[in-house]
Amino acid sequence: MNRALLIWIPVALTFPLAACDMSRFEPVTVAVYPSTHSCSVNETKLDCEKVGDYLRDTMKISLDHHIDVSYTGADPPASKDDPMVDQIANTVRAAGFKDVNAARFDLR
C-alpha cells in the first residue's frame, strides 16, 4: 500500500471527530446557592424556580440530557436534611427533563 495513503487515512478519519461538539454529552450542572436562595447555570445567575425553563427554552438542552443539581458556596455546608436541592431538581424534572440528579456533596 502507498506510504502516503497510510499517513493520510488516520488524519482523514480523525478530522470528522475533531469537528464534533462533545459538550452536548457533558452533564449540565445547576449550582444552588443556599445562602442567597439563588441558582446559576454556566455562570448565569437566575431564580431557582426558572432553572428548568431556562435550560429547555434558552439553552435548548434536550430533555434527555443529564442534569446535576448541587449546592455551591455553602459556608457552612448545608444540612443533609435541607430540601432545597431536591426542590430544584423537581423543578427541572417538571420542565420535562428525564435524567436529573440531586447531588449532595459536603453536607452535614
Side-chain angles (χ1 to χ4, degrees):
M1 187 177 268
N2 184 340
R3 183 171 167 81
L5 186 60
L6 289 175
I7 293 172
W8 282 105
I9 288 176
V11 172
L13 294 175
T14 304
F15 181 72
L17 292 176
C20 290
D21 179 14
M22 298 306 287
S23 66
R24 66 185 179 139
F25 299 109
E26 296 174 8
V28 172
T29 300
V30 176
V32 178
Y33 296 89
S35 59
T36 60
H37 296 281
S38 63
C39 294
S40 71
V41 178
N42 294 343
E43 298 184 28
T44 299
K45 293 197 184 236
L46 54 141
D47 180 350
C48 292
E49 294 299 316
K50 298 178 182 175
V51 169
D53 296 336
Y54 177 79
L55 294 171
R56 184 189 62 226
D57 302 335
T58 304
M59 292 186 68
K60 306 292 187 203
I61 304 290
S62 68
L63 296 178
D64 61 348
H65 198 93
H66 181 78
I67 311 290
D68 285 323
V69 179
S70 66
Y71 282 118
T72 299
D75 186 26
S79 166
K80 63 181 167 115
D81 299 323
D82 188 330
M84 190 169 180
V85 166
D86 292 321
Q87 290 169 347
I88 305 308
N90 287 336
T91 299
V92 174
R93 287 184 193 104
F97 291 93
K98 299 173 187 92
D99 188 10
V100 181
N101 179 45
R104 298 190 172 282
F105 306 108
D106 297 328
L107 299 180
R108 293 187 276 152

